[in-house]
Amino acid sequence: MNLGNAYGAVGRLQDAVSSDEESVKVFRPLAAGNPAHLSDLAKALNNLGSRLAEMGRHADAVGHLVEAARIFRRLAADNPVYQQSLVLALSNLARSQQRVGDQPTKKRFWRRG
């Protein structure tokens, strides 16, 4: 469990979002310098997007979830162990896109999966 998840579990959603945003800020440069950290970045993005969606901020969540899904799709193409993470990211993305009415993008992502 990470700090964002711990905050979320006790209903401190804004603190959870802040923690998840910090995780993305930490992992983005690490992943840029070392592809071994791409899965960490994708997990952090998925967590942030999911947390924003949990707060009803689906429009804010979509960009993070799209990026997470793109990373997991690339990783899953090389290593099937990431397929489950890809499915989770796509599921989260579809829910948020449905809430904001972004059907064309949702269909495009699901067709690729």
Side-chain angles (χ1 to χ4, degrees):
M1 178 177 274
N2 66 34
L3 184 58
N5 290 340
Y7 280 137
V10 296
R12 293 175 56 183
L13 297 181
Q14 188 53 56
D15 290 329
V17 166
S18 295
S19 177
D20 292 337
E21 287 173 334
E22 186 174 353
S23 293
V24 169
K25 287 179 187 174
V26 168
F27 284 120
R28 191 175 298 285
L30 288 174
N34 183 349
H37 291 290
L38 280 172
S39 66
D40 297 321
L41 174 59
K43 288 175 197 171
L45 288 162
N46 191 56
N47 287 343
L48 176 56
S50 297
R51 194 80 58 211
L52 290 167
E54 188 178 350
M55 294 178 69
R57 295 173 52 191
H58 296 281
D60 295 330
V62 168
H64 301 294
L65 295 170
V66 165
E67 188 177 359
R70 284 184 179 145
I71 294 169
F72 279 131
R73 179 171 277 123
R74 285 194 328 248
L75 293 171
D78 293 332
N79 187 342
V81 75
Y82 292 107
Q83 289 178 349
Q84 184 176 358
S85 296
L86 173 59
V87 169
L88 178 62
L90 288 171
S91 177
N92 291 337
L93 174 60
R95 275 193 297 277
S96 283
Q97 288 174 325
Q98 184 176 23
R99 296 290 169 95
V100 296
D102 190 5
Q103 296 299 317
T105 303
K106 180 176 88 171
K107 288 177 185 175
R108 188 171 54 246
F109 262 89
W110 278 102
R111 276 192 223 127
R112 285 192 219 155

